[in-house]
Amino acid sequence: MREIKFRVWDEDNNTIGTVLSFTNLEVLRYDLDGIEDYFGRGYFKNNPNYLMQFTGLQDKNGVDIYEGDILEFKNDLGRNAKVKIFYKKGGLCYNCHDDDFKKHPENIIFYESCADMQSKGWITQCEIIGNIHENKDLI
């Protein structure tokens, strides 16, 4: 069973924090470099992309992969691909189609589930190179 955990994008401080607790995704305590803070009631209804769920997977360096992360795959033959992790239709997914990389998840038609055994094996060969909030230039 995978561990259920979240992180949060704090736009005011331009950084990602670790979620400490929440109730119905409305009242949330989080940690930003040792400083505890909170978002008030209703915050995520207006900013749904700021809360990021853990996929249960790690990249090739053992770093936890979260929704909103951008991963890169390189092999010995020179194949190179970027993937974006996102939530769609009840599950965490990824997409590496160039046409869809900049689209909002609601508008992405072709995607793969992170839970599929083949995808799990492939994703763990990738490396996290950033995320959609801190590294907009990668999108």
Side-chain angles (χ1 to χ4, degrees):
M1 183 178 206
R2 82 176 158 89
E3 183 179 3
I4 304 297
K5 58 185 180 178
F6 295 87
R7 68 181 187 189
V8 65
W9 170 247
D10 183 333
E11 189 172 46
D12 295 335
N13 295 303
N14 288 324
T15 192
I16 290 180
T18 303
V19 172
L20 302 172
S21 66
F22 59 85
T23 305
N24 294 332
L25 304 182
E26 290 184 344
V27 179
L28 177 111
R29 284 181 35 237
Y30 66 98
D31 177 36
L32 289 175
D33 297 326
I35 300 169
E36 196 172 310
D37 205 344
Y38 74 95
F39 286 115
R41 189 167 302 281
Y43 182 81
F44 292 105
K45 289 180 181 170
N46 296 326
N47 302 293
N49 298 320
Y50 290 1
L51 188 64
M52 297 165 274
Q53 186 175 357
F54 176 49
T55 63
L57 301 172
Q58 295 179 330
D59 74 356
K60 70 179 187 179
N61 300 316
V63 179
D64 290 346
I65 300 172
Y66 282 83
E67 184 179 2
D69 281 341
I70 299 171
L71 285 65
E72 185 173 50
F73 172 78
K74 291 182 184 177
N75 69 12
D76 297 337
L77 301 173
R79 183 168 177 237
N80 187 353
K82 282 190 213 173
V83 299
K84 178 173 63 174
I85 305 296
F86 59 95
Y87 184 85
K88 184 162 177 132
K89 296 190 182 194
L92 290 156
C93 307
Y94 71 92
N95 180 282
C96 58
H97 297 92
D98 291 338
D99 296 358
D100 294 336
F101 206 74
K102 295 181 182 182
K103 291 181 183 177
H104 188 277
E106 291 175 3
N107 300 323
I108 295 175
I109 297 169
F110 301 107
Y111 55 89
E112 302 289 336
S113 167
C114 290
D116 175 88
M117 290 305 287
Q118 184 176 355
S119 296
K120 276 183 172 181
W122 184 79
I123 284 178
T124 57
Q125 297 175 48
C126 295
E127 179 177 24
I128 296 172
I129 58 171
N131 64 67
I132 61 171
H133 300 292
E134 293 176 303
N135 310 98
K136 293 184 189 289
D137 56 317
L138 295 174
I139 298 178

